[in-house]
Amino acid sequence: MKTFQGVIRFIRRIIGKFLKWEKITIALCLLIAGVALYFKIQNQGIEYEYAPARGGIYTEGVLAENSGILDKKLKTLTYSGLLRLDENLNLKPALAKSWSIDENSQTYTFELFDRVPVDKVKNTLTEQKDNLAGLDVQSEGQKIIIKPPKKIGSLIYNLTDPIIDFGPYQKAKVEESKLILEANPDWSLGEPLISKVIIRIFQDEDKMISALESGDIQGADGVLIASNKQNAYTIKLQKYIALFFNLSRQNMQNKALREAIKNKTDFNPATSVDLVALDQPVFTGEVEKLQASLSSKGITLNPKYFSSDQIISEHIPQRNYDILLYGLDFGRDPDIYSYYYSGQIPSPGNNLSQYFNLEVDKILDKAHQAVLPDKRMEATKQAQTLIDKDVPNILLKQTEHDFTISKEVKNVIVGQGITESDRFQNVWEWYIKTAKVRKYK
């Protein structure tokens, strides 16, 4: 005790020799050291990580000859549907956070996110034509209630089409060769992390690639360039180059021949088949590959090439072909009714193979009438399994769309899509900036 008191008296004598400002300085230093020690002890064992943060500008180059092409390439940036299709083509929220379908009354109810302008949604849907024509659209608070004029099995998928002028970005400025978009702070799925998107319009692909390589732009649509600075992406569209076997022709009724063409296996006796195709490089190239793979298997293809107008006006209406090499677009709706249902055999139906299977017809009709997505998908898959066994056609090649983006742009999700603009299908989640945040275990 005496020793402790002696230490105290000693410290007081030392401190007494300091001037007042020196005492204040020492006190402040001790306070800062104490606070630092406290936080060091408190944060001991705490880990930090870098998380996405708002900010940054993304500049992309796009090849476009006119405004119509440009709009198609960028539509999902500034427009949205009530719902959306994700990278796996699953229905997900967009402007609507939830939805329900009453099968009995054929009533579709959508609960919109709080910041979505209900009147704009209602007016847009009311004015639609084609596959959304004649809808009875009403609103109650943040609810949109839709009653179609008749049963439309595809309606829920049609409503994923980005037709409503309320997307993740808004047009801020339009220049001669540049479009400036700013993040929509009221976007239903959250304000986009990247503050601004600039679209630079090019007519020359080489100039666009040069701009990408020099860093003038961070992304380029329609090109595939992987490097240590860029990531190359490919989105698979619901479009195919397909072979349609005309099953009304006697030679094409031979299933063994159709399977040999599909599997590129030997066929006996050797045979020759006429093929009609579009006179376009992508189609002539597929024909050449088929000829090369089948010529040694006892199957000779005799191709005849025609313009799109000739095929549409002459060959398809008259089903004037043994085999037709043509494009197939499944679109947003998974329903395959129009391509395989026997009622679509007569022109202008799209059953280009003249395919008829009574069991398949019943399942396709069930799928076509279903308004609930799960039921529609289940019946469609069941029908497709049976169709594949009959080999009425062959899907040769799926259409793909390439694009390249700088590695500084993160969280770009790519998978399946409907149009080229679906490369932006999660654009509000892309980010460039990051912030250091505490990591919670």
Side-chain angles (χ1 to χ4, degrees), residues 8 16 58 90 102 115 139 175 250 254 275 282 288 291 337 366 371 386-387 400 406 408 424 440:
I8 294 298
Y58 170 66
N90 295 318
D102 187 325
R115 294 185 177 183
S139 61
E175 298 179 357
Q250 187 173 358
N254 187 338
L275 181 148
V282 65
E288 291 170 0
Q291 287 178 307
Y337 177 93
K366 179 182 177 182
V371 297
L386 296 176
I387 293 167
E400 298 178 339
S406 168
E408 68 177 329
F424 297 117
Y440 292 93

Side-chain angles (χ1 to χ4, degrees), residues 245-248 258 339-345 351-361 364 383-393:
F245 299 115
N246 188 346
L247 301 181
S248 68
R258 302 198 303 271
Y339 300 109
Y340 299 106
Y341 188 70
S342 63
Q344 295 291 313
I345 288 176
N351 188 340
L352 303 182
S353 295
Q354 312 283 280
Y355 175 68
F356 172 64
N357 181 315
L358 186 58
E359 183 180 3
V360 170
D361 269 2
L364 286 176
Q384 188 67 64
T385 299
L386 296 176
I387 293 167
D388 290 343
K389 292 178 180 178
D390 290 337
V391 198
N393 61 9

Side-chain angles (χ1 to χ4, degrees), residues 234-239 398-401 414-418:
T234 298
I235 185 170
K236 294 181 179 296
L237 305 180
Q238 299 310 294
K239 300 177 182 179
Q398 186 171 9
T399 301
E400 298 178 339
H401 184 71
V414 175
Q416 303 282 330
I418 307 301

Side-chain angles (χ1 to χ4, degrees), residues 300-314:
T300 300
L301 295 180
N302 303 314
K304 294 180 180 179
Y305 299 105
F306 299 93
S307 68
S308 178
D309 288 342
Q310 286 176 303
I311 288 181
I312 292 173
S313 63
E314 300 172 19

Side-chain angles (χ1 to χ4, degrees), residues 27 48 59 62 94-96 107 118 140 182 200 208 232 245 263 310 321 333 341 361 371 398 409 435:
Y48 290 87
T59 304
V62 173
L95 300 184
T107 301
V118 179
E140 294 180 5
E182 292 182 349
R200 285 186 53 188
M208 183 174 71
F245 299 115
N263 300 321
Q310 286 176 303
Y321 47 82
D333 183 11
Y341 188 70
D361 269 2
V371 297
Q398 186 171 9
V409 180

Side-chain angles (χ1 to χ4, degrees), residues 58-129:
Y58 170 66
T59 304
E60 178 173 292
V62 173
L63 289 170
E65 298 175 356
N66 55 59
S67 59
I69 293 175
L70 184 65
D71 289 343
K72 288 181 180 179
K73 287 174 176 276
L74 306 176
K75 197 169 185 181
T76 53
L77 278 173
T78 56
Y79 284 77
S80 179
L82 280 177
L83 306 178
R84 64 187 175 92
L85 295 173
D86 70 4
E87 70 277 9
N88 297 312
L89 301 181
N90 295 318
L91 290 167
K92 295 290 183 180
L95 300 184
K97 60 183 176 181
S98 64
W99 61 94
S100 62
I101 304 172
D102 187 325
E103 288 186 274
N104 295 323
S105 64
Q106 294 295 304
T107 301
Y108 296 70
T109 303
F110 298 86
E111 181 74 30
L112 304 184
F113 283 94
D114 292 341
R115 294 185 177 183
V116 175
V118 179
D119 288 342
K120 175 178 283 191
V121 173
K122 179 183 176 181
N123 294 338
T124 301
L125 293 175
T126 302
E127 296 166 359
Q128 290 304 301
K129 299 179 181 180

Side-chain angles (χ1 to χ4, degrees), residues 316-433:
I316 288 180
Q318 300 171 23
R319 307 305 197 226
N320 187 21
Y321 47 82
D322 287 344
I323 300 176
L324 173 67
L325 183 66
Y326 201 60
L328 186 60
D329 188 349
F330 287 111
R332 298 179 177 279
D333 183 11
D335 183 28
I336 55 176
Y337 177 93
S338 63
Y339 300 109
Y340 299 106
Y341 188 70
S342 63
Q344 295 291 313
I345 288 176
S347 180
N350 289 323
N351 188 340
L352 303 182
S353 295
Q354 312 283 280
Y355 175 68
F356 172 64
N357 181 315
L358 186 58
E359 183 180 3
V360 170
D361 269 2
K362 290 179 180 178
I363 301 171
L364 286 176
D365 189 57
K366 179 182 177 182
H368 190 62
Q369 295 296 323
V371 297
L372 296 180
D374 290 345
K375 290 184 178 181
R376 195 173 182 84
M377 185 67 74
E378 181 183 356
T380 297
K381 287 181 178 179
Q382 186 182 354
Q384 188 67 64
T385 299
L386 296 176
I387 293 167
D388 290 343
K389 292 178 180 178
D390 290 337
V391 198
N393 61 9
I394 303 172
L395 303 183
L396 290 180
K397 182 179 180 181
Q398 186 171 9
T399 301
E400 298 178 339
H401 184 71
D402 302 325
F403 59 105
T404 302
I405 296 180
S406 168
K407 288 185 176 180
E408 68 177 329
V409 180
K410 309 293 185 183
N411 200 32
V412 179
I413 297 176
V414 175
Q416 303 282 330
I418 307 301
T419 68
E420 296 174 8
S421 70
D422 285 335
R423 68 188 185 278
F424 297 117
Q425 59 191 204
N426 78 314
V427 69
W428 62 94
E429 297 174 321
W430 294 9
Y431 66 93
I432 297 172
K433 301 292 185 178

Side-chain angles (χ1 to χ4, degrees), residues 136-346:
D136 178 11
V137 184
Q138 302 297 326
S139 61
E140 294 180 5
Q142 283 298 107
K143 287 183 180 180
I144 289 289
I145 302 166
I146 300 174
K147 290 186 178 181
K150 60 181 180 179
K151 191 174 185 179
I152 305 175
S154 63
L155 181 58
I156 195 71
Y157 290 96
N158 297 342
L159 292 169
T160 66
D161 192 6
I163 57 173
I164 300 164
D165 187 8
F166 192 79
Y169 285 87
Q170 302 168 324
K171 292 182 181 179
K173 189 177 182 181
V174 179
E175 298 179 357
E176 184 177 355
S177 60
K178 186 185 295 184
L179 177 63
I180 300 174
L181 309 174
E182 292 182 349
N184 179 359
D186 295 326
W187 170 234
S188 54
L189 299 178
E191 182 180 351
L193 292 170
I194 296 178
S195 301
K196 187 179 295 185
V197 173
I198 299 175
I199 301 298
R200 285 186 53 188
I201 304 166
F202 291 84
Q203 270 83 46
D204 186 293
E205 184 176 293
D206 290 336
K207 290 183 178 179
M208 183 174 71
I209 293 174
S210 295
L212 178 67
E213 292 174 341
S214 67
D216 288 343
I217 59 177
Q218 296 158 289
D221 177 53
V223 299
L224 201 64
I225 306 174
S227 70
N228 61 345
K229 293 182 179 180
Q230 293 108 11
N231 287 319
Y233 299 96
T234 298
I235 185 170
K236 294 181 179 296
L237 305 180
Q238 299 310 294
K239 300 177 182 179
Y240 295 82
I241 294 176
L243 278 180
F244 296 91
F245 299 115
N246 188 346
L247 301 181
S248 68
R249 299 282 179 96
Q250 187 173 358
N251 59 342
M252 288 295 97
Q253 291 173 9
N254 187 338
K255 184 178 178 181
L257 173 58
R258 302 198 303 271
E259 288 179 331
I261 295 173
K262 178 181 179 180
N263 300 321
K264 300 177 176 60
T265 54
D266 292 333
F267 181 78
N268 291 304
T271 188
S272 178
V273 182
D274 292 335
L275 181 148
V276 169
L278 278 170
D279 188 14
Q280 296 176 5
V282 65
F283 290 92
T284 58
E286 289 300 315
V287 171
E288 291 170 0
K289 286 190 285 186
L290 279 171
Q291 287 178 307
S293 61
L294 295 174
S295 60
S296 63
K297 306 298 182 182
I299 303 172
T300 300
L301 295 180
N302 303 314
K304 294 180 180 179
Y305 299 105
F306 299 93
S307 68
S308 178
D309 288 342
Q310 286 176 303
I311 288 181
I312 292 173
S313 63
E314 300 172 19
H315 294 275
I316 288 180
Q318 300 171 23
R319 307 305 197 226
N320 187 21
Y321 47 82
D322 287 344
I323 300 176
L324 173 67
L325 183 66
Y326 201 60
L328 186 60
D329 188 349
F330 287 111
R332 298 179 177 279
D333 183 11
D335 183 28
I336 55 176
Y337 177 93
S338 63
Y339 300 109
Y340 299 106
Y341 188 70
S342 63
Q344 295 291 313
I345 288 176

